[in-house]
Amino acid sequence: MIQKLRVLIPAILITTSLFTVFSCKSNRNNVSDKTGVKYNDPENGGLQINRKVKESLGPGLIAIEGGTFVMGGSLNEDVAYAHDNLKRRVTVASFYIDETEVSNADWLEYLHWISQNFPQDQKMYYDALPDSLVWRNPLSYNEPYVNFYLRHPSFQDYPVVGVTWEQANAYCQWRTDRVNEHILRQRGILVDYKTASQQQNGQPFNSEIYLNGQLQGPGYDGKNMPKDNRPGAQQNGRRTVRMEDGILKQAYRLPTEAEWEYAALGLIGNTYEGNIESNKTYPWNGLGVRDHKRRTQGRMMANFKITSGNNMGVAGDLNDGGDITVPVKSYQPNDFGLYNMAGNVNEWVSDVYRQLSFEDFDDFNPYRGHVFMDNQYEDAENRKLAKDQFGRPIKVAAKSPRKQTWEELQAANTEQAATYDNDVRGFKDEEQKELYGKTTLVNDKSRVFKGGSWNDRAYWLNPGTRRHMQQDESNAMTGFRCAMTMVGNVFGPRK
C-alpha cells in the first residue's frame, strides 16, 4: 500500500503541474497579462485580441530574412566613374519580394480589370497601357515586338516592359486591393464574385476605404463576417474586418534599393554560423557568368548582351538563348529562390536617385524618396474618408512631423502646416531645378533601376551597380517586381 502511494503521489503532482501549465498558457491567450481582464468578452467591453494569427506571405512572394550587408560591396570597379556606389554597411529588415518579374500576363490581368470595372473611362485604360513603341528603332526591324510582345500568348510569361515607375506604382496599389478583396471573398466575409457581379454596386474594393468601414451593407456583406463584440451591438451582430484581425495583407510596393540589392546578392547561401564565408560579384557564386556545376557546366546564368552584336550566341549551341527577353522563370534562381535578379530586364526600385545617397542615408532600412501624406476626410467628425472617382482615398500633404496635440488638430494649426515640408526626397541633397537639363540630369523625379538587361553587358549584372531614369520614362529593357513589408519577423529570434 505504501509503495502504491509513493507512485501515486508523484503522478498526481505531475498531472497537477501540467494542468497548471496548460491552464496558464490557455489563460495567457485570452486574458490581459497586465490587467487580468479577459479578451474577446462582450460583457466587459469586447476588446478583441487575436493571438492565433501568424504572419504569412501574399501571392507570388518569397520571404527574405533580413540582416546586415555592405551596399555596393559586390562592385570592385566603377567603369562610368560616377562614384555613386560607395561602400556602406547597412541593415535591411526582413521583407517579402516577388519570386519573378511582373509578366505580360500579369499586366493583361490589370488591364482587363480596368476595362471591366471602368468601361467608360478610356483615359484610365490608356494611362495603364505600356508603351509598346519602346521597341521601335530607326535602324532595327523590331515592329513585330511593337505589335505582338504584350498581347501574343507566346510572350505571356515574358516580363512586361515599357512601363514607367509611375505605372509600376499604380500596379502595386491595384494588386494590393485585388489580393485583399480575393481573401475576403474566399472567406465569405464579402459576397462571392458571382453575387457581386450580379448586383453591380458600382464601388470597386479599396483596402483603406474598407478598413475605415465605408464598404459594407447590401452587396458587400458576406455570411462569414466577424462577430461584433462591442457593448450595445445587436445580438449576433457582424462587423467588417479590422487591421487587428490580421486577415488583410499589407500593401504591395516597389522594393527599396537596399532591399533589392540585398535580395539579389542572396548572401544567405554563403553564410555559416553568423559569418559570410565568401562574397559574390553576381547573384550566384564565382567571378564568371557561366555555371560551374558538373551537370550544367558552361551554361549561361543570365540573359545579357555578351559582346557587341552578340545577344545570345551561335545557333546550335546558344549561350543564353535570349535574343530579347526570356520567360520570367528562366535560368536558376539565386539562394533566396528569386529568378532573374541579374539580366533579362532592369528593375525599377522605389528610391530617388542621388549620386551620394550611400553617404547620406540611414544605416537601417536606407531609403530616399519619402513624400509624407495623410488621408483627406470628407467628414472629419465621423472619420469618413474622402474618395476619388475610382473609390480610392484622397491623399493630402502631411501637416506635421509628429503627432499633433488635440488642440492643434482641432484648430488645424495653419502656421505649422505652412512650415512643415512633407517632401523629403531632396533631404540633405536638394535638387537644383535651374541646372536640370543643363549641367545635370538628376532631380526629384529621377528613380533608380538595377539589375542589367538583355541589352546590357555583364558589368551591369552586378547588384551594386545603379542607374537612373525619370519616373515618367520607360524603355524596352526595364520592368519591375513588387515587394511587401513583413510585419513582425517570422525568422526570429531563434528559440
Side-chain angles (χ1 to χ4, degrees):
M1 184 66 178
I2 295 173
Q3 185 66 27
K4 289 181 178 180
L5 286 172
R6 286 177 178 174
V7 174
L8 186 60
I9 290 172
I12 293 171
L13 290 173
I14 291 171
T15 303
T16 305
S17 299
L18 289 173
F19 177 78
T20 303
V21 168
F22 284 112
S23 296
C24 291
K25 185 176 181 180
S26 178
N27 287 339
R28 192 262 174 189
N29 287 333
N30 296 302
V31 175
S32 169
D33 293 334
K34 301 299 184 285
T35 65
V37 176
K38 189 177 180 180
Y39 295 136
N40 308 313
D41 185 352
E43 296 180 0
N44 69 6
L47 173 63
Q48 293 185 272
I49 297 291
N50 192 345
R51 298 283 197 183
K52 298 180 181 180
V53 170
K54 291 185 178 179
E55 171 70 355
S56 61
L57 43 76
L61 298 173
I62 296 270
I64 305 297
E65 183 176 6
T68 181
F69 83 114
V70 178
M71 281 193 77
S74 60
L75 190 63
N76 294 319
E77 57 181 338
D78 183 7
V79 297
Y81 297 98
H83 305 292
D84 65 348
N85 48 9
L86 302 179
K87 295 175 175 60
R88 178 167 182 181
R89 179 166 291 281
V90 301
T91 294
V92 174
S94 298
F95 64 103
Y96 303 109
I97 193 169
D98 273 339
E99 181 184 24
T100 68
E101 297 144 343
V102 173
S103 70
N104 285 324
D106 299 326
W107 201 268
L108 289 174
E109 180 186 8
Y110 174 41
L111 294 175
H112 177 75
W113 182 90
I114 293 174
S115 67
Q116 292 293 306
N117 287 269
F118 299 97
Q120 305 303 320
D121 197 327
Q122 296 183 21
K123 182 180 184 302
M124 185 181 187
Y125 186 86
Y126 182 81
D127 288 346
L129 283 171
D131 183 3
S132 60
L133 298 182
V134 294
W135 291 106
R136 187 165 285 174
N137 190 309
L139 297 177
S140 179
Y141 182 63
N142 290 342
E143 288 305 295
Y145 303 129
V146 174
N147 298 320
F148 299 129
Y149 184 80
L150 175 64
R151 299 187 183 275
H152 196 281
S154 295
F155 287 118
Q156 63 186 358
D157 293 325
Y158 286 56
V160 66
V161 297
V163 292
T164 67
W165 182 93
E166 294 168 349
Q167 287 177 309
N169 268 277
Y171 174 87
C172 291
Q173 295 168 13
W174 169 85
R175 183 177 174 185
T176 300
D177 293 334
R178 300 293 70 74
V179 168
N180 283 332
E181 179 184 10
H182 185 64
I183 290 171
L184 295 177
R185 295 201 190 282
Q186 275 195 320
R187 294 188 177 212
I189 297 170
L190 288 177
V191 295
D192 58 43
Y193 287 107
K194 182 178 180 180
T195 304
S197 63
Q198 291 172 346
Q199 294 179 347
Q200 293 289 332
N201 55 40
Q203 176 66 61
F205 177 89
N206 177 270
S207 301
E208 285 189 77
I209 296 296
Y210 176 83
L211 285 171
N212 201 52
Q214 292 177 233
L215 292 179
Q216 56 182 316
Y220 294 104
D221 297 348
K223 298 178 180 179
N224 298 329
M225 295 176 70
K227 292 181 180 179
D228 191 349
N229 285 346
R230 294 175 301 172
Q234 295 181 354
Q235 188 175 6
N236 298 322
R238 300 286 174 167
R239 61 169 176 81
T240 56
V241 164
R242 299 182 306 214
M243 182 64 71
E244 293 86 341
D245 296 317
I247 294 175
L248 297 183
K249 298 299 178 189
Q250 36 294 8
Y252 285 86
R253 56 177 175 79
L254 290 179
T256 67
E257 182 178 4
E259 287 174 335
W260 193 98
E261 185 173 333
Y262 178 85
L265 277 174
L267 290 174
I268 193 170
N270 295 18
T271 301
Y272 180 73
E273 293 186 350
N275 295 308
I276 297 175
E277 293 189 315
S278 59
N279 212 328
K280 292 181 178 179
T281 301
Y282 303 109
W284 53 85
N285 286 311
L287 298 176
V289 293
R290 296 182 182 272
D291 197 348
H292 65 279
K293 297 176 184 175
R294 178 170 295 183
R295 286 184 57 197
T296 53
Q297 190 171 18
R299 293 184 184 175
M300 285 290 185
M301 299 292 288
N303 177 22
F304 65 101
K305 193 179 188 74
I306 302 163
T307 61
S308 177
N310 185 358
N311 277 35
M312 61 179 180
V314 179
D317 188 17
L318 297 180
N319 282 327
D320 61 32
D323 48 358
I324 52 167
T325 58
V326 294
V328 294
K329 276 198 172 181
S330 301
Y331 311 107
Q332 297 179 39
N334 73 357
D335 288 331
F336 278 125
L338 307 175
Y339 289 87
N340 288 305
M341 292 300 280
N344 210 22
V345 289
N346 293 292
E347 297 180 18
W348 286 113
V349 297
S350 185
D351 292 57
V352 165
Y353 177 85
R354 286 294 188 275
Q355 186 176 14
L356 301 179
S357 281
F358 284 23
E359 293 184 353
D360 295 335
F361 56 33
D362 200 85
D363 64 357
F364 176 68
N365 285 341
Y367 173 69
R368 177 186 289 279
H370 287 297
V371 181
F372 299 115
M373 307 294 286
D374 291 335
N375 286 321
Q376 180 176 317
Y377 285 93
E378 179 182 311
D379 182 353
E381 186 175 343
N382 295 310
R383 309 296 290 172
K384 184 179 180 181
L385 295 176
K387 296 179 289 187
D388 64 13
Q389 59 180 324
F390 307 116
R392 301 173 301 201
I394 297 174
K395 302 291 183 178
V396 293
K399 297 180 176 62
S400 174
R402 59 171 178 80
K403 177 185 175 182
Q404 295 173 294
T405 65
W406 179 253
E407 290 73 22
E408 288 174 338
L409 189 62
Q410 297 304 306
N413 194 324
T414 55
E415 182 179 348
Q416 190 173 32
T419 57
Y420 175 60
D421 185 4
N422 71 309
D423 185 349
V424 292
R425 289 175 294 180
F427 185 72
K428 291 185 177 180
D429 196 347
E430 295 292 336
E431 69 173 345
Q432 304 296 319
K433 295 181 180 180
E434 66 280 2
L435 298 179
Y436 181 75
K438 299 176 181 177
T439 62
T440 180
L441 293 176
V442 176
N443 62 11
D444 284 347
K445 293 186 177 182
S446 303
R447 300 288 175 169
V448 178
F449 64 89
K450 298 172 76 73
S453 77
W454 59 272
N455 202 34
D456 287 316
R457 301 295 181 90
Y459 170 80
W460 297 106
L461 305 184
N462 184 291
T465 58
R466 56 202 303 256
R467 287 176 285 181
H468 65 91
M469 186 164 51
Q470 292 301 97
Q471 65 184 41
D472 59 355
E473 293 179 344
S474 63
N475 58 40
M477 286 80 73
T478 304
F480 72 102
R481 73 180 72 210
C482 303
M484 179 187 285
T485 300
M486 183 182 292
V487 289
N489 188 348
V490 300
F491 294 105
R494 301 285 189 263
K495 295 183 179 179

